[in-house]
Amino acid sequence: MAMVMEWLFVSRQYPLIDKMASTFTNTNNLSLRSILEKDKLTGPNFLDWERNLMIVLRHEWKWYVLEEPLGETPPANAPAAARNAHKKHKDDVLDVACLMLATMSPDLQAGLINTNAYDMIRQLRDMFQTQARTERYDATKAFNECKMIKGTSVSDHVMKMKRHLDHLERLGHPVPLQLATDTILNSLSDDYKPFVVNYNMNNMDKSIAELHSMLKTSELNMGTKSKTKDILMVRDGGVKKKNGHTSTNKGKGPVQAVESAPKKGKGKGQGKKIKPNKARTENRCFTCNEVGHWRQNCPKRHEA
């Protein structure tokens, strides 16, 4: 009420300025009110619609009609300032009510056509705030439970988390930057644990866009290291694989296995040539040294 009376006082003191300001304000009001016409109230978009409505009414200095009910009409002998303030409030209530009705769906208009602005906003809040609370709960749950699958793109994951953040902000409940950053870091796969440790140890304080860029660079570096491990090293005209074997066979058919020679040792008994034992092919007597009988059958032995 005090604000309305102050406005009326200025209007009476400076009528020309008030007329010029009124013309300029009306032009701006029409331009700003277009944001409500682009996104009319249908129910699920109540929070967005209410936020846009408050922007328009703050610009027009009429948001007070949604916060203060219209009082009783002052008596005829009341001061002129009080009667003028009440009239101004009543006119603003009618203007805001018409604006609200004009920017909602026909079904909602039919049920609120005879309701003033103060009561109208409360009925709309009763109808749709429960739905908005459920939507906010679902958005918060989706954001906190979103986890990156190992092997998937970190860029796609961060963009998905960003969409959840934007949704919560549209619902009128933005997530603080530090909490949003911690939640995103906690949602990364195990491959990014070194990145998370380094980020926290250096007390980094980055925006979501900067964090996104850093994670993309980290993903690129990890991909480069992984490919380096799998690259075959070329040495001396051959291809050296992980197991250390070198192959120079290029278009010459399958490689034949070659038996390697035994290694020379330095231990006792190693390096000496051992002749194989010859099988005995003759029956030679050890007594007479003649062939044909054994020592036990030697006649010279019996003679002796």
Side-chain angles (χ1 to χ4, degrees):
M1 183 67 69
M3 187 182 301
V4 177
M5 295 181 67
E6 181 180 356
W7 179 85
L8 290 172
F9 174 78
V10 174
S11 300
R12 288 196 300 269
Q13 295 295 324
Y14 306 98
L16 180 60
I17 295 177
D18 178 64
K19 184 177 180 180
M20 295 174 61
S22 177
T23 303
F24 178 76
T25 301
N26 290 337
T27 303
N28 286 343
N29 289 349
L30 292 175
S31 176
L32 194 59
R33 288 188 177 195
S34 62
I35 65 174
L36 288 171
E37 297 176 358
K38 292 179 181 179
D39 190 16
K40 291 188 176 183
L41 175 63
T42 58
N45 65 333
F46 171 72
L47 293 177
D48 290 340
W49 177 85
E50 184 184 27
R51 183 173 61 253
N52 290 334
L53 176 65
M54 293 304 297
I55 292 173
V56 173
L57 296 183
R58 286 180 184 276
H59 176 72
E60 299 179 4
W61 289 73
K62 296 179 181 179
W63 79 92
Y64 70 94
V65 303
L66 301 181
E67 306 298 333
E68 302 174 7
L70 180 64
E72 296 181 357
T73 304
N77 59 351
R83 287 186 280 109
N84 292 335
H86 182 270
K87 183 179 183 304
K88 174 68 169 55
H89 192 165
K90 185 177 180 180
D91 293 341
D92 287 345
V93 168
L94 179 61
D95 185 34
V96 173
C98 292
L99 174 64
M100 295 170 66
L101 290 170
T103 56
M104 63 177 62
S105 65
D107 294 338
L108 293 174
Q109 288 176 352
L112 300 171
I113 190 67
N114 296 320
T115 309
N116 63 61
Y118 179 82
D119 294 332
M120 190 184 304
I121 192 64
R122 275 151 184 77
Q123 291 186 30
L124 290 172
R125 287 171 180 170
D126 291 340
M127 285 190 289
F128 299 117
Q129 271 191 342
T130 301
Q131 180 180 354
R133 179 178 178 83
T134 302
E135 186 177 0
R136 183 176 69 248
Y137 170 80
D138 292 338
T140 304
K141 181 180 179 182
F143 175 67
N144 290 328
E145 294 182 353
C146 186
K147 300 295 181 182
M148 178 182 176
I149 301 175
K150 186 174 182 178
T152 58
S153 170
V154 70
S155 180
D156 293 343
H157 175 71
V158 175
M159 291 301 296
K160 183 177 181 180
M161 298 287 283
K162 183 66 168 58
R163 287 194 292 271
H164 290 313
L165 290 173
D166 293 341
H167 188 194
L168 286 169
E169 186 173 1
R170 287 195 300 270
L171 294 175
H173 295 273
V175 180
L177 177 60
Q178 291 185 348
L179 178 59
T181 301
D182 291 343
T183 306
I184 292 175
L185 292 176
N186 187 55
S187 69
L188 299 175
S189 63
D190 293 340
D191 295 336
Y192 292 88
K193 281 186 177 180
F195 176 89
V196 175
V197 172
N198 180 66
Y199 188 94
N200 291 328
M201 288 183 63
N202 289 279
N203 294 322
M204 296 184 184
D205 188 12
K206 304 293 184 181
S207 65
I208 301 300
E210 291 172 332
L211 177 62
H212 185 194
S213 179
M214 293 172 64
L215 286 170
K216 288 171 62 178
T217 303
S218 178
E219 180 183 43
L220 182 62
N221 292 337
M222 287 192 298
T224 303
K225 291 180 180 179
S226 177
K227 290 180 180 179
T228 303
K229 293 180 180 179
D230 297 333
I231 291 177
L232 301 178
M233 300 177 62
V234 178
R235 182 180 298 174
D236 298 333
V239 180
K240 187 174 182 180
K241 300 182 180 179
K242 291 182 180 180
N243 56 12
H245 296 293
T246 303
S247 172
T248 57
N249 181 41
K250 297 182 180 179
K252 297 182 180 180
V255 179
Q256 296 181 354
V258 179
E259 184 177 358
S260 59
K263 297 182 179 180
K264 295 183 179 180
K266 296 182 180 180
K268 185 177 180 180
Q270 294 184 359
K272 295 181 179 180
K273 295 183 179 180
I274 301 176
K275 295 181 179 180
N277 294 328
K278 293 183 179 180
R280 295 183 180 180
T281 57
E282 299 177 350
N283 296 327
R284 186 178 295 276
C285 177
F286 292 150
T287 301
C288 63
N289 200 25
E290 293 181 359
V291 179
H293 60 271
W294 296 98
R295 178 176 180 276
Q296 61 184 0
N297 299 324
C298 181
K300 291 184 178 182
R301 178 184 178 189
H302 293 292
E303 291 178 358

